[in-house]
Amino acid sequence: MDEWCRTPEESHKLLFSDLAFTTTALKRHPKVYTIWNHRRWCLESMPEGPGNADDGGAEGGEGWKMSAWSQEMIIVEKMLSMDERNFHAWDYRRYILSHCPASLKRTDSDELAYTTRHIEKNHSNFSAWHQRSLVYTKLWSEKPESRTKALLDKEFELVKQALWMAPDDQSGWMYHRWLIGNGEEPEVLEREISVIEELLEEEPESRWCLNSLVHYKRLLLQHRSGEQHQLTEDCRQSLNKLASIDKMRRQRYEGISSTL
C-alpha cells in the first residue's frame, strides 16, 4: 500500500512493528549506526494518536508518541545496564531526552544521579563521565550561581576515586581535565597537582599522571611567575620520563620540552 494512503492506525502499527524488529537486531548488533538511526526515524514518523489512557487523555493526541518514547527510554536504559559503555546507546539516550515530550524529560538532578550510578559501577565508563560534563555545562550556563566551590570540590573528590582505582584509564583523567578547564584558579591547580604527585608515587610509570602534571604545571606558570624555573624543570623531568617509557610518542614529548 502506498505510504500516503495509510491511515494513522496502520502507520502506528507498522512503525511499532519496526521498533520491535530492530530491538531484536540490536541485541545481536548493539553498535550498528543504521539500526539506531532507523529507530530515530520510526519515532519521528510516529503519527498523532489517541490520548494516553493512564493519564486520562492529558497528552491529547500524543498518546502513541508518548507510548513510543517511553518504551524507547526503557529499552535503551536496559541495554546500558547490560553494556554500560555502549556509546551508541548513550548517544541515543541523549537524543530521546532532547526530543521526547516534556513530561518524559529528566531533571538535571535525575541525570547526575543516573551518571553517578554508572560511574560507581565502572569508573572507566567514559560515556557516563561525558554525559555528566554535558549536564553540568548546561546547568552552569543556565544557572551560573550553581557552580559553587562546594560542588566542584565534590566533583574533584568523585573523580579522584576514579583516578586511584584506574590510573591508566583515560575516562577519569579527561573529566578531571574538563573540571580544571583553563586553570583560572591557581589554588585548585596546586591542590590537584599534589593529589596527582601522591598518586605518581604509587604509580611511577603512569603516563596519565605524568602528562597531567606537565599540563597542569604549565597552566600554573600563568599564575606563579616567581616559580617559573622550578615548574619548568619539573615539566622537563616529567617529559623526559615520558619519553623513556612511551617511546612511540618520544618526539612529541621532546617537542613540548623544547617550547618550555
Side-chain angles (χ1 to χ4, degrees):
M1 180 184 294
D2 190 294
E3 63 176 319
W4 302 110
C5 298
R6 291 193 185 101
T7 65
E9 290 78 8
E10 289 169 332
S11 295
H12 165 256
K13 183 177 180 180
L14 181 62
L15 290 167
F16 261 89
S17 176
D18 255 26
L19 287 172
F21 169 71
T22 52
T23 297
T24 302
L26 280 175
K27 291 178 181 178
R28 291 189 175 187
H29 308 286
K31 298 181 180 180
V32 175
Y33 285 101
T34 50
I35 301 175
W36 293 106
N37 289 339
H38 184 69
R39 293 181 78 83
R40 295 189 187 205
W41 177 83
C42 288
L43 289 173
E44 293 168 3
S45 302
M46 192 65 64
E48 301 292 334
N52 190 331
D54 294 334
D55 60 17
E59 292 295 334
E62 293 190 352
W64 286 340
K65 290 188 175 183
M66 281 288 292
S67 178
W69 288 105
S70 298
Q71 175 180 282
E72 285 303 280
M73 182 60 80
I74 292 171
I75 290 172
V76 76
E77 291 192 343
K78 185 175 181 179
M79 293 194 69
L80 284 171
S81 70
M82 296 184 290
D83 179 5
E84 68 273 8
R85 294 196 294 176
N86 183 345
F87 72 88
H88 299 270
W90 278 98
D91 185 58
Y92 188 68
R93 185 177 177 277
R94 280 190 289 272
Y95 161 77
I96 294 173
L97 289 172
S98 64
H99 290 79
C100 69
S103 60
L104 295 177
K105 293 185 181 297
R106 305 285 179 84
T107 65
D108 292 332
S109 296
D110 289 338
E111 275 301 281
L112 292 171
Y114 184 77
T115 60
T116 299
R117 289 195 297 273
H118 278 275
I119 289 167
E120 290 177 345
K121 183 179 178 182
N122 185 344
H123 287 98
S124 298
N125 192 332
F126 185 94
S127 294
W129 288 111
H130 177 60
Q131 178 66 7
R132 195 173 186 85
S133 71
L134 293 178
V135 174
Y136 274 127
T137 297
K138 172 179 171 293
L139 177 62
W140 293 339
S141 174
E142 295 174 350
K143 300 177 181 179
E145 69 278 6
S146 66
R147 193 177 189 274
T148 64
K149 180 181 183 299
L151 175 60
L152 287 169
D153 287 346
K154 186 177 178 181
E155 289 302 301
F156 275 116
E157 184 59 32
L158 176 65
V159 76
K160 176 183 174 181
Q161 296 174 31
L163 302 184
W164 279 83
M165 290 290 291
D168 292 327
D169 183 83
Q170 68 172 336
S171 306
W173 290 106
M174 297 301 290
Y175 188 75
H176 190 274
R177 189 166 294 196
W178 174 78
L179 284 174
I180 290 289
N182 295 324
E184 296 172 355
E185 300 176 58
E187 294 79 12
V188 173
L189 275 172
E190 290 174 327
R191 183 192 67 195
E192 294 307 304
I193 285 171
S194 295
V195 168
I196 297 170
E197 287 177 333
E198 182 181 354
L199 176 56
L200 185 64
E201 292 179 7
E202 300 295 327
E203 302 285 342
E205 294 195 349
S206 168
R207 288 195 301 110
W208 279 103
C209 279
L210 292 164
N211 266 303
S212 296
L213 285 173
V214 172
H215 180 68
Y216 295 150
K217 287 182 179 182
R218 292 178 76 188
L219 290 177
L220 190 58
L221 278 168
Q222 303 172 25
H223 309 280
R224 300 287 189 259
S225 57
E227 302 173 26
Q228 181 176 0
H229 176 75
Q230 184 61 54
L231 288 170
T232 301
E233 184 60 28
D234 289 348
C235 288
R236 286 203 175 100
Q237 289 180 11
S238 295
L239 288 163
N240 288 338
K241 189 167 185 178
L242 279 165
S244 68
I245 63 178
D246 185 15
K247 298 186 186 303
M248 289 185 65
R249 299 175 180 83
R250 179 175 56 83
Q251 290 186 334
R252 174 179 180 271
Y253 302 131
E254 291 175 350
I256 295 173
S257 184
S258 67
T259 66
L260 295 174

